[in-house]
Amino acid sequence: MKSVLRFLRISLLGLIALIAVAGLLFGYFIYSPEPELPKLSGTLTKESIEVNGFMRTYLTYLPQGLAKGAPLVMHGSGENGAQIRIDTGYGYERLADQHGFAVVYPNSYSFDWNDCSKVGDFSANGREVDDTGFLSALADKLITDIGSDRNRVFATGVSSGGFMSIRLALEASSRFRAIAAVSANVPSPENFKCKPAEQSTKDIPGTSVMIMNGTKDPLVPFNGGESSLFGLFYKGGNVRSSQDSGQYFADLNHLSGKPATKLSTVADGVNVEQFFWRNNTKVEVELVAIQGGGHGLPQPYFRRPRLLGPSPMAPDGPAMIWAFFERQFTADAIK
């Protein structure tokens, strides 16, 4: 009996130690304290829309006194809208209050958006989910409901949402003036299923594209290869390198020549290298390489879990993305 009790005592102590170690590992690699909710002027509402037989939900943030004809910024991710607000440090809502634009957070139907990758499960109830149709319909609805300017509709997203933004640039260029894909690359040819639409016409410019990636992203390799976490989880097939992804969009939009480059050092000694493909048209492509950055949107309000790689608090990703979007309608007014 004493030996049994001793065995049980040792086993219990071992279990307690295992739980303690698991808690420490969770705290170190996964836990990250949420940013403080800032004082915002506007209102956040939850709404829904039915598209192709699927009921889709989304959150909308409207700053107080938002004028008719204001820009619209759509932000998606594999997480729900409420979590996206936290993970971005409420960055887009802070900017919306300052610059006067609406923000919408559409929710994916499952964990993944149906992007350009062939690898992944993009079906529900035996049917493939049409996320391009959903996001296009949502943009049209908000143009009507809140009076957003149809020529200043922008899309951005992180990870799965970044890959979906790439699909919008390719297949819905007439609806989205520019996109910013964060922690995402263009899928490799063997993993690519999208059918790019004509990128521009005489009256309608194509979609300008920004790609913002960390060079030490453990999920979406900056230099190309398999998109996954440790080769085991979140598999999305092979992707091009970030440089090749930028060049892909430059070629698609007939932006010839080598890109101009700019290297700058931001807070905490983080180096940021930018590549610009431009000519005398209204469309541009920009690659933002966060040297030493991991997976996710860099910003000063929220440090991402260590599991996703290094999490620099600079540059201010949302501010850089908004400046890119704002530059597009400034160019439209000039040319």
Side-chain angles (χ1 to χ4, degrees):
M1 178 63 73
K2 288 184 178 180
S3 60
V4 172
L5 291 175
R6 187 179 301 110
F7 172 78
L8 292 175
R9 188 178 298 112
I10 293 173
S11 298
L12 180 59
L13 290 174
L15 179 60
I16 293 172
L18 183 62
I19 292 173
V21 170
L24 289 172
L25 290 174
F26 175 86
Y28 184 80
F29 287 106
I30 299 176
Y31 173 75
S32 186
E34 294 184 0
E36 182 179 349
L37 178 65
K39 185 177 181 180
L40 300 168
S41 73
T43 56
L44 185 74
T45 58
K46 182 178 181 180
E47 300 178 71
S48 62
I49 179 176
E50 185 174 350
V51 179
N52 297 327
F54 292 100
M55 188 60 66
R56 309 300 299 267
T57 58
Y58 59 95
L59 297 176
T60 305
Y61 177 77
L62 302 180
Q64 186 176 23
L66 184 67
K68 295 291 184 182
L72 171 66
V73 173
M74 183 179 293
H75 189 295
S77 178
E79 300 165 312
N80 60 41
Q83 188 62 44
I84 295 170
R85 298 177 71 221
I86 293 171
D87 288 355
T88 56
Y90 307 96
Y92 290 101
E93 290 164 48
R94 299 172 195 262
L95 290 165
D97 277 0
Q98 296 173 33
H99 298 279
F101 61 85
V103 185
V104 59
Y105 301 99
N107 295 320
S108 59
Y109 199 80
S110 60
F111 178 78
D112 278 332
W113 290 95
N114 188 358
D115 57 55
C116 287
S117 306
K118 289 182 179 179
V119 176
D121 183 8
F122 308 112
S123 62
N125 303 326
R127 291 188 295 144
E128 186 166 315
V129 177
D130 180 8
D131 282 326
T132 302
F134 162 49
L135 297 175
S136 297
L138 178 56
D140 288 343
K141 183 177 188 296
L142 294 174
I143 288 168
T144 299
D145 291 354
I146 65 177
S148 295
D149 183 349
R150 67 175 55 255
N151 296 316
R152 294 191 290 170
V153 178
F154 307 102
T156 184
V158 179
S159 194
S160 177
F163 281 98
M164 189 63 217
S165 296
I166 287 173
R167 184 165 195 172
L168 293 177
L170 293 169
E171 296 186 343
S173 57
S174 63
R175 281 211 179 76
F176 296 90
R177 179 62 185 85
I179 68 98
V182 181
S183 298
N185 284 327
V186 176
S188 298
E190 76 282 0
N191 186 35
F192 187 83
K193 68 183 180 187
C194 285
K195 298 178 180 179
E198 184 177 359
Q199 291 302 294
S200 62
T201 65
K202 180 180 179 181
D203 301 316
I204 303 176
T207 299
S208 290
V209 172
M210 171 187 275
I211 296 172
M212 180 182 291
N213 288 337
T215 61
K216 291 187 177 180
D217 189 328
L219 278 84
V220 181
F222 186 84
N223 292 319
E226 184 185 32
S227 175
S228 67
L229 181 61
F230 308 132
L232 299 172
F233 309 104
Y234 307 120
K235 291 188 175 184
N238 290 335
V239 297
R240 297 172 184 253
S241 70
S242 298
Q243 185 77 37
D244 287 346
S245 295
Q247 189 64 56
Y248 171 85
F249 277 106
D251 293 342
L252 197 66
N253 287 287
H254 311 293
L255 302 175
S256 59
K258 292 184 178 180
T261 61
K262 176 184 177 183
L263 180 63
S264 55
T265 301
V266 295
D268 298 328
V270 177
N271 290 326
V272 178
E273 189 169 12
Q274 295 168 271
F275 301 82
F276 305 93
W277 289 265
R278 294 170 176 162
N279 57 19
N280 59 354
T281 68
K282 296 180 179 180
V283 179
E284 65 173 305
V285 175
E286 178 179 349
L287 168 63
V288 180
I290 314 298
Q291 301 294 335
H295 188 81
L297 179 69
Q299 38 82 23
Y301 307 105
F302 175 73
R303 189 177 294 277
R304 300 180 301 281
R306 288 184 175 89
L307 186 68
L308 302 180
S311 179
M313 306 297 279
D316 188 336
M320 288 188 73
I321 289 170
W322 171 248
F324 178 76
F325 289 163
E326 193 172 38
R327 196 160 70 226
Q328 306 316 306
F329 56 80
T330 302
D332 292 344
I334 294 174
K335 296 179 181 179

